Amino acid sequence: MEHVSAVPERHTQASLAPVRANDYDRFAEAYAAENERSLVNAHYERPAMLALAGDVAGRRLLDAGCGSGALSAALRDRGAVVTGIDASAGMLTLARRRLGDDAALHLADLGEPLPFDDGAFDDVVASLVLHYLEDWGPTLAEIRRVLRPGGRLIASVDHPFVAYTFHDPRPDYSATTSYSFDWTFDGRSVPMRFWRRPLHAMTDAFTTAGFRLTAISEPQPDPAARELFPDAFDALSTKPCFLFFAVEVPLSATSDGTTSSTRRSGAPSITSRRTK
């Protein structure tokens, strides 16, 4: 599920309340309204995802964790043929309101098998969703299954360095650990729970699932947002927030038995920091 920033200033440390954590149906409208206009989503995370996606015209694309459909709409405007899935019925209602009754939207949990054929998509985007999962393995295997050879997964997650600072004392950096906090929307506190893992565990999970890493990105926010968010812009520009990946399914063996290394024109290379 695409989500509002996990920047520490917006969170308070908390134990999980009796209310179910990550229950987007309880605050879908308030979340979608903030996601629509916030610095970290509208002027940082979504532009970075679109930059990594590049030219998507005519490509069959799965938005895995589509939320209220903001990223799906932007990709569709760029010519992609978009299918969206989300585990929240409330968020899908908002996405359908945005995208229209004929939009291909499905209620689906990324922890379960995906309801699509092998090789059904050219690209999958997973915007701020993988850190809801304790185990990436089954989910990445399913995403790889529904991608064609040469297809790409473009994903954003909470930066592991930021998540590491949520606990005092600090946890074992090399371990996969959960962390809990409260978000506040319209004066109402909602419990959230994410999973933090070290950078090497993220890249290992991609390669174990059969992907080839093509980009790691730590982008800057859109410079045009400085006037809209003068104080928050400077903080976001100088501290890690999210981490972005582009990985691809290797092409099938060629007729001479070797594996093609041809990269799709315009695809990014591995980089430590990107600007838009």
Side-chain angles (χ1 to χ4, degrees), residues 180-262:
S180 303
F181 52 87
D182 288 341
W183 273 343
T184 300
F185 292 98
D186 292 340
R188 182 174 61 174
S189 182
V190 293
M192 306 299 295
R193 187 188 193 198
F194 294 166
W195 289 89
R196 186 211 62 81
R197 69 201 71 232
L199 177 58
H200 75 264
M202 296 181 185
T203 56
D204 286 353
F206 290 127
T207 56
T208 298
F211 289 101
R212 179 173 58 197
L213 182 67
T214 61
I216 300 177
S217 177
E218 295 176 305
Q220 288 283 288
D222 182 354
R226 183 184 294 275
E227 293 184 6
L228 297 173
F229 307 91
D231 296 331
F233 185 93
D234 288 339
L236 185 59
S237 299
T238 57
K239 299 176 183 177
C241 183
F242 300 141
L243 192 60
F244 298 77
F245 297 93
V247 298
E248 64 183 16
V249 179
L251 294 172
S252 301
T254 60
S255 58
D256 63 0
T258 61
T259 300
S260 171
S261 60
T262 302

Side-chain angles (χ1 to χ4, degrees), residues 25-59:
D25 287 342
R26 296 184 62 240
F27 59 101
E29 292 274 3
Y31 166 81
E34 182 162 340
N35 179 281
E36 191 77 23
R37 62 178 182 268
S38 71
L39 170 62
V40 293
N41 292 104
H43 303 279
Y44 169 58
E45 196 273 341
R46 273 199 298 279
M49 289 290 286
L50 293 170
L52 279 175
D55 182 6
V56 295
R59 295 177 71 83

Side-chain angles (χ1 to χ4, degrees), residues 48-109:
M49 289 290 286
L50 293 170
L52 279 175
D55 182 6
V56 295
R59 295 177 71 83
R60 302 164 301 160
L61 192 146
L62 175 65
D63 188 351
C66 64
S68 59
L71 182 58
S72 288
L75 291 162
R76 190 175 68 175
D77 288 346
R78 287 159 172 77
V81 180
V82 180
T83 298
I85 60 172
D86 204 277
S88 165
M91 297 304 284
L92 284 176
T93 296
L94 299 178
R96 191 167 299 282
R97 185 185 305 169
R98 180 197 299 268
L99 299 170
D101 291 339
D102 59 344
L105 298 172
H106 306 271
L107 186 67
D109 190 326

